[in-house]
Amino acid sequence: MTAALQAVGLSRRFGGLLAVSDVSLELSVGELHAVIGPNGAGKSTLVNLLAGEIPPTSGSVRIDGQDVTGWSAWRIARCGIGRSFQRTNLMPDMTVLENARLAVPARHLWRRLRPNHPSMANARSALARVGLADLTDRIAATLSHGQLRQLEIGVALALQPKVLLLDEPLAGMGPEESEAFAGLLRELAQDHAVLLVEHDMDVVFSVAHRMTVMLDGRVLARGAPDEIRASPAVRDAYLGHDV
Amino acid sequence: MQLAGLFAQVLNGLQYGLLLFLISSGLTLIFGVMRVINLAHGSLFMIGAYLAYALAGITGSLWLALPAAVAGGALFGAALEYTLFRRFREREHLDQVLLTFALILLFEEARSALVDNQFHSVAIPAMLDFSVRVTADFAYSAYRIAVLGICLGVAALMFIGVERTRVGSAIRAAAENAEMVDLLGIDARRLHTLVFAVGTALAMLAGALAAPLQSVYPGMGDGFLIISFVVVVIGGLGSIAGAFWAALLIGLIDTLGQAYVPQAAGTAIYVLMAAVLLFRPAGLFAKG
Amino acid sequence: MRCATLRGNLLLAVAALVVACMPFYASPYHMQLASIAMIAAMFALSLQLLVGGAGMVSLAQAAFFGLGAYTVYLLGRTLGRPPSILVSLPASAAVAGIAAALIGPFALRTRGFFFLMTTLAFGQMLFFVFHDTPIGGGADGVFIQRPDLGFALTRASRTPVFLLTDLAVLAAMYAALWWLMHTLFGSVLLGIRANEDRMRAMGHNVTRVKLAAFVIAGALAGIAGHMAALNDAFVNPELLGWHRSAEALLIVLLGGIGALHGPILGAFAYTLIGEFGRSITERQRLVEGLVILAAVLLLRRGLAGLRFAR
């Protein structure tokens, strides 16, 4: 079986800095793969490389076996890669429903947007899945921080992607919200391939199937959560002794 | 094609390109550092030319006009920045376009009220009103040679100022990232006033230098404004070196084009701009 | 972009009716003034699609307006007789739209200020084509044969007939844009205005959508130019000059950037202010400059911000 998303030897150089160095990765549907590492380890750059936001200096990316290296972000999104952003990145003056509706692949461009427009049903079901079914008519800017984080993922889901790239979805959340979010992440992993970049170690270790630890742009360690927890190298470099 | 004629056209092209550099380097600096688009930059050129016309009329010579254009331009630019452009910085593009468009209209109206709507010529200073014999069959205007020299001197000063001084490093940092300026311990507001004053002085100096070469007339800044934009797009925004080479390139293409293929000359530089946008959208001389 | 509510559209319809009845109560002078305002409204509406729709501030719009006007002249010269409006109107739209489709891919490689500069430069390139070459009859402009409306016009019937034609075209253009902004395309445009990068991550070919908007806006500006040629029977290169693009931007701002009906209000206000200015002073640029300063500094949301829309 080919992986939903496969990266081989991905590197990216910014001037003199090698932000991501020779990272390979495979993701399959039903799997939640967490990437952890200290700030500046290259996690966000990795997400941007996989999403086509920036082209890699070397290495390749495949989606369902197809080589998409160097494709622009919108083409990669249409291949079934949905992403959320570390800093909430939405259309603040639009309603929740409008935000999600815009994420739907742009067919039927020239039809009036009535409630039965083909893009509407997708958007509604995506919003229902992240728990925003009752807030569809609110202006996005009026949502709470936690709700905005939900909407970030809802918008990515509305694309009906096979792969979800989630860049610190829990940023700025309290413990209770995080708990609820962990449930959502587990659920999403059942029918998506999920790449999760996250700092909240409690959540990461409770939801991840596999983990990659990055340091200075490189893969430091990879394995199941238990192996990572037990790895001395990871403890020294990153986790410290509080895990 | 006569070799001597070609030589003269190349010199004319270089001299036109250097004048363009004086205008567009100010434009690109102001944009790079302040992120303000100034459509009235061409009008500053016009004001410089009219200042030269007025002073040459009063004193009988252009010589006073050059320092007056630089000093007056610096003061005028500082005043404009302090009273207006400081407030435009945070505004949307549309507002900046319209506000500077309003300045164009008001400057033109002031010009019409203070002088008139006629074409005027400005005499070349008597001291330079002769031709330098370069070879047996080729002579070149001494004034144009002086303009070449003055522009090259100013360009050298600009390079030293931007590349070698602390203020220059702040200017380069600001062009990369506005927040960097504070880190260098330089007062951003003072830097803006300085940059705007320098840009205005350069545009007015260019106007004063150009006054004897072409007539002084209403709306004369408009053409220079557009060409300067082309220079900035080709050279890369915020880059002095890019503006320099792009200005020379445009000056040569435009001048040689007018001389040898006048039908295509009007559009040649725009075709060049389109090609640059296609292959190097960040500018021909941008890094990376 | 906010679109007028049902009540707002009803008010616009009433205003249209008032204009349509002008032949019964107004002087030819006032009818001509209304025509000038309506053509300015069409022109500004085309720009509103870019500015209010996708957040693209273009200074090339006057070039497309001028191309539309010159198409009438070139058609008449080629045919040797006045073209039918059924031919000249689509032709103007097509020529301007094609020009936009040729310039757009280059200009759209840039954003923000660079987009401003490149549209300005490309617009001036077209201006110089008509100013410096004999293709359009020269720098001083040329009188043209008006398009044939299908029936004979007398000197007296001309003004009211043009008034009604302008009104019909303006109404059609407004309705078309209203429909467009209510399609998914319209909301994708607004999404691009709000957050271009996110729209890309959402799978939208942002450049292509912007190009489509640029071409549609160019074609609509061509239609506005066509109507100007019909009314004036005269074209000159100044029609393409960037000062007219800036004027259209002023009208858009005056009416309100965020509202589809804003340019219509703005165009009538601008025409009236200009007329008033002419009556008190010779110095037109002074009046215009002061109006712009007032509009930018005081009237941030435009006339449409005052009422009509939600």
PDB file of all heavy atoms in Angstrom, chain C residues 238-255:
ATOM      1  N   GLU C 238      -5.898  61.199 -23.593  1.00  0.00           N
ATOM      2  CA  GLU C 238      -6.057  61.474 -22.163  1.00  0.00           C
ATOM      3  C   GLU C 238      -7.015  60.495 -21.493  1.00  0.00           C
ATOM      4  O   GLU C 238      -6.958  60.273 -20.287  1.00  0.00           O
ATOM      5  CB  GLU C 238      -6.557  62.908 -21.944  1.00  0.00           C
ATOM      6  CG  GLU C 238      -5.589  63.992 -22.393  1.00  0.00           C
ATOM      7  CD  GLU C 238      -4.214  63.844 -21.743  1.00  0.00           C
ATOM      8  OE1 GLU C 238      -4.156  63.522 -20.541  1.00  0.00           O
ATOM      9  OE2 GLU C 238      -3.206  64.033 -22.448  1.00  0.00           O
ATOM     10  N   LEU C 239      -7.929  59.915 -22.294  1.00  0.00           N
ATOM     11  CA  LEU C 239      -8.866  58.936 -21.732  1.00  0.00           C
ATOM     12  C   LEU C 239      -8.116  57.782 -21.079  1.00  0.00           C
ATOM     13  O   LEU C 239      -8.615  57.163 -20.144  1.00  0.00           O
ATOM     14  CB  LEU C 239      -9.778  58.377 -22.826  1.00  0.00           C
ATOM     15  CG  LEU C 239     -10.749  59.343 -23.494  1.00  0.00           C
ATOM     16  CD1 LEU C 239     -11.493  58.649 -24.617  1.00  0.00           C
ATOM     17  CD2 LEU C 239     -11.739  59.888 -22.470  1.00  0.00           C
ATOM     18  N   LEU C 240      -6.917  57.470 -21.603  1.00  0.00           N
ATOM     19  CA  LEU C 240      -6.167  56.324 -21.084  1.00  0.00           C
ATOM     20  C   LEU C 240      -5.215  56.694 -19.951  1.00  0.00           C
ATOM     21  O   LEU C 240      -4.607  55.830 -19.349  1.00  0.00           O
ATOM     22  CB  LEU C 240      -5.334  55.667 -22.203  1.00  0.00           C
ATOM     23  CG  LEU C 240      -6.060  54.959 -23.340  1.00  0.00           C
ATOM     24  CD1 LEU C 240      -6.344  55.915 -24.469  1.00  0.00           C
ATOM     25  CD2 LEU C 240      -5.267  53.775 -23.849  1.00  0.00           C
ATOM     26  N   GLY C 241      -5.066  57.990 -19.687  1.00  0.00           N
ATOM     27  CA  GLY C 241      -4.032  58.445 -18.753  1.00  0.00           C
ATOM     28  C   GLY C 241      -4.314  58.019 -17.319  1.00  0.00           C
ATOM     29  O   GLY C 241      -5.462  57.883 -16.906  1.00  0.00           O
ATOM     30  N   TRP C 242      -3.250  57.858 -16.556  1.00  0.00           N
ATOM     31  CA  TRP C 242      -3.433  57.291 -15.221  1.00  0.00           C
ATOM     32  C   TRP C 242      -4.136  58.250 -14.278  1.00  0.00           C
ATOM     33  O   TRP C 242      -4.687  57.824 -13.267  1.00  0.00           O
ATOM     34  CB  TRP C 242      -2.110  56.819 -14.642  1.00  0.00           C
ATOM     35  CG  TRP C 242      -1.176  57.899 -14.179  1.00  0.00           C
ATOM     36  CD1 TRP C 242      -0.248  58.554 -14.910  1.00  0.00           C
ATOM     37  CD2 TRP C 242      -1.105  58.452 -12.859  1.00  0.00           C
ATOM     38  NE1 TRP C 242       0.402  59.475 -14.146  1.00  0.00           N
ATOM     39  CE2 TRP C 242      -0.103  59.433 -12.880  1.00  0.00           C
ATOM     40  CE3 TRP C 242      -1.787  58.216 -11.669  1.00  0.00           C
ATOM     41  CZ2 TRP C 242       0.237  60.190 -11.760  1.00  0.00           C
ATOM     42  CZ3 TRP C 242      -1.452  58.970 -10.555  1.00  0.00           C
ATOM     43  CH2 TRP C 242      -0.455  59.946 -10.607  1.00  0.00           C
ATOM     44  N   HIS C 243      -4.152  59.544 -14.599  1.00  0.00           N
ATOM     45  CA  HIS C 243      -4.887  60.481 -13.753  1.00  0.00           C
ATOM     46  C   HIS C 243      -6.364  60.099 -13.676  1.00  0.00           C
ATOM     47  O   HIS C 243      -7.019  60.269 -12.659  1.00  0.00           O
ATOM     48  CB  HIS C 243      -4.751  61.904 -14.289  1.00  0.00           C
ATOM     49  CG  HIS C 243      -3.443  62.536 -13.952  1.00  0.00           C
ATOM     50  ND1 HIS C 243      -3.285  63.880 -13.750  1.00  0.00           N
ATOM     51  CD2 HIS C 243      -2.216  62.005 -13.774  1.00  0.00           C
ATOM     52  CE1 HIS C 243      -2.026  64.150 -13.456  1.00  0.00           C
ATOM     53  NE2 HIS C 243      -1.358  63.024 -13.476  1.00  0.00           N
ATOM     54  N   ARG C 244      -6.865  59.544 -14.786  1.00  0.00           N
ATOM     55  CA  ARG C 244      -8.274  59.131 -14.776  1.00  0.00           C
ATOM     56  C   ARG C 244      -8.469  57.888 -13.921  1.00  0.00           C
ATOM     57  O   ARG C 244      -9.517  57.718 -13.305  1.00  0.00           O
ATOM     58  CB  ARG C 244      -8.771  58.900 -16.195  1.00  0.00           C
ATOM     59  CG  ARG C 244      -8.906  60.197 -16.979  1.00  0.00           C
ATOM     60  CD  ARG C 244      -9.501  59.920 -18.341  1.00  0.00           C
ATOM     61  NE  ARG C 244     -10.790  59.269 -18.233  1.00  0.00           N
ATOM     62  CZ  ARG C 244     -11.944  59.919 -18.157  1.00  0.00           C
ATOM     63  NH1 ARG C 244     -11.950  61.224 -18.174  1.00  0.00           N
ATOM     64  NH2 ARG C 244     -13.060  59.264 -18.060  1.00  0.00           N
ATOM     65  N   SER C 245      -7.464  57.024 -13.887  1.00  0.00           N
ATOM     66  CA  SER C 245      -7.554  55.872 -12.976  1.00  0.00           C
ATOM     67  C   SER C 245      -7.615  56.361 -11.537  1.00  0.00           C
ATOM     68  O   SER C 245      -8.377  55.833 -10.722  1.00  0.00           O
ATOM     69  CB  SER C 245      -6.339  54.955 -13.148  1.00  0.00           C
ATOM     70  OG  SER C 245      -6.311  54.386 -14.414  1.00  0.00           O
ATOM     71  N   ALA C 246      -6.791  57.367 -11.245  1.00  0.00           N
ATOM     72  CA  ALA C 246      -6.776  57.890  -9.880  1.00  0.00           C
ATOM     73  C   ALA C 246      -8.121  58.534  -9.546  1.00  0.00           C
ATOM     74  O   ALA C 246      -8.632  58.400  -8.437  1.00  0.00           O
ATOM     75  CB  ALA C 246      -5.644  58.900  -9.714  1.00  0.00           C
ATOM     76  N   GLU C 247      -8.714  59.213 -10.540  1.00  0.00           N
ATOM     77  CA  GLU C 247     -10.043  59.794 -10.316  1.00  0.00           C
ATOM     78  C   GLU C 247     -11.068  58.714  -9.998  1.00  0.00           C
ATOM     79  O   GLU C 247     -11.919  58.875  -9.124  1.00  0.00           O
ATOM     80  CB  GLU C 247     -10.487  60.568 -11.559  1.00  0.00           C
ATOM     81  CG  GLU C 247     -10.159  62.041 -11.492  1.00  0.00           C
ATOM     82  CD  GLU C 247     -10.458  62.726 -12.813  1.00  0.00           C
ATOM     83  OE1 GLU C 247     -11.393  62.288 -13.531  1.00  0.00           O
ATOM     84  OE2 GLU C 247      -9.760  63.686 -13.126  1.00  0.00           O
ATOM     85  N   ALA C 248     -10.980  57.605 -10.739  1.00  0.00           N
ATOM     86  CA  ALA C 248     -11.919  56.505 -10.486  1.00  0.00           C
ATOM     87  C   ALA C 248     -11.709  55.940  -9.088  1.00  0.00           C
ATOM     88  O   ALA C 248     -12.674  55.598  -8.393  1.00  0.00           O
ATOM     89  CB  ALA C 248     -11.755  55.418 -11.542  1.00  0.00           C
ATOM     90  N   LEU C 249     -10.443  55.862  -8.669  1.00  0.00           N
ATOM     91  CA  LEU C 249     -10.176  55.401  -7.301  1.00  0.00           C
ATOM     92  C   LEU C 249     -10.808  56.353  -6.294  1.00  0.00           C
ATOM     93  O   LEU C 249     -11.368  55.928  -5.285  1.00  0.00           O
ATOM     94  CB  LEU C 249      -8.669  55.314  -7.052  1.00  0.00           C
ATOM     95  CG  LEU C 249      -7.943  54.117  -7.642  1.00  0.00           C
ATOM     96  CD1 LEU C 249      -6.444  54.260  -7.438  1.00  0.00           C
ATOM     97  CD2 LEU C 249      -8.427  52.822  -7.015  1.00  0.00           C
ATOM     98  N   LEU C 250     -10.724  57.651  -6.605  1.00  0.00           N
ATOM     99  CA  LEU C 250     -11.330  58.636  -5.717  1.00  0.00           C
ATOM    100  C   LEU C 250     -12.842  58.410  -5.628  1.00  0.00           C
ATOM    101  O   LEU C 250     -13.434  58.458  -4.551  1.00  0.00           O
ATOM    102  CB  LEU C 250     -11.035  60.052  -6.226  1.00  0.00           C
ATOM    103  CG  LEU C 250     -11.801  61.164  -5.525  1.00  0.00           C
ATOM    104  CD1 LEU C 250     -11.439  61.213  -4.056  1.00  0.00           C
ATOM    105  CD2 LEU C 250     -11.537  62.513  -6.169  1.00  0.00           C
ATOM    106  N   ILE C 251     -13.469  58.151  -6.784  1.00  0.00           N
ATOM    107  CA  ILE C 251     -14.913  57.917  -6.786  1.00  0.00           C
ATOM    108  C   ILE C 251     -15.248  56.684  -5.946  1.00  0.00           C
ATOM    109  O   ILE C 251     -16.196  56.683  -5.163  1.00  0.00           O
ATOM    110  CB  ILE C 251     -15.429  57.750  -8.235  1.00  0.00           C
ATOM    111  CG1 ILE C 251     -15.320  59.089  -8.958  1.00  0.00           C
ATOM    112  CG2 ILE C 251     -16.851  57.231  -8.247  1.00  0.00           C
ATOM    113  CD1 ILE C 251     -15.674  59.019 -10.419  1.00  0.00           C
ATOM    114  N   VAL C 252     -14.431  55.643  -6.102  1.00  0.00           N
ATOM    115  CA  VAL C 252     -14.649  54.423  -5.315  1.00  0.00           C
ATOM    116  C   VAL C 252     -14.534  54.738  -3.826  1.00  0.00           C
ATOM    117  O   VAL C 252     -15.370  54.335  -3.020  1.00  0.00           O
ATOM    118  CB  VAL C 252     -13.633  53.334  -5.726  1.00  0.00           C
ATOM    119  CG1 VAL C 252     -13.634  52.190  -4.727  1.00  0.00           C
ATOM    120  CG2 VAL C 252     -13.951  52.813  -7.111  1.00  0.00           C
ATOM    121  N   LEU C 253     -13.507  55.498  -3.476  1.00  0.00           N
ATOM    122  CA  LEU C 253     -13.318  55.834  -2.066  1.00  0.00           C
ATOM    123  C   LEU C 253     -14.440  56.732  -1.562  1.00  0.00           C
ATOM    124  O   LEU C 253     -14.963  56.552  -0.468  1.00  0.00           O
ATOM    125  CB  LEU C 253     -11.976  56.549  -1.883  1.00  0.00           C
ATOM    126  CG  LEU C 253     -11.640  56.881  -0.436  1.00  0.00           C
ATOM    127  CD1 LEU C 253     -11.126  55.647   0.275  1.00  0.00           C
ATOM    128  CD2 LEU C 253     -10.629  58.002  -0.341  1.00  0.00           C
ATOM    129  N   LEU C 254     -14.818  57.685  -2.404  1.00  0.00           N
ATOM    130  CA  LEU C 254     -15.887  58.625  -2.044  1.00  0.00           C
ATOM    131  C   LEU C 254     -17.179  57.867  -1.770  1.00  0.00           C
ATOM    132  O   LEU C 254     -17.913  58.164  -0.835  1.00  0.00           O
ATOM    133  CB  LEU C 254     -16.080  59.600  -3.208  1.00  0.00           C
ATOM    134  CG  LEU C 254     -16.565  61.015  -2.950  1.00  0.00           C
ATOM    135  CD1 LEU C 254     -15.690  61.707  -1.938  1.00  0.00           C
ATOM    136  CD2 LEU C 254     -16.565  61.798  -4.251  1.00  0.00           C
ATOM    137  N   GLY C 255     -17.457  56.871  -2.608  1.00  0.00           N
ATOM    138  CA  GLY C 255     -18.687  56.111  -2.434  1.00  0.00           C
ATOM    139  C   GLY C 255     -18.581  55.075  -1.328  1.00  0.00           C
ATOM    140  O   GLY C 255     -19.591  54.680  -0.758  1.00  0.00           O
TER     141      GLY C 255
END
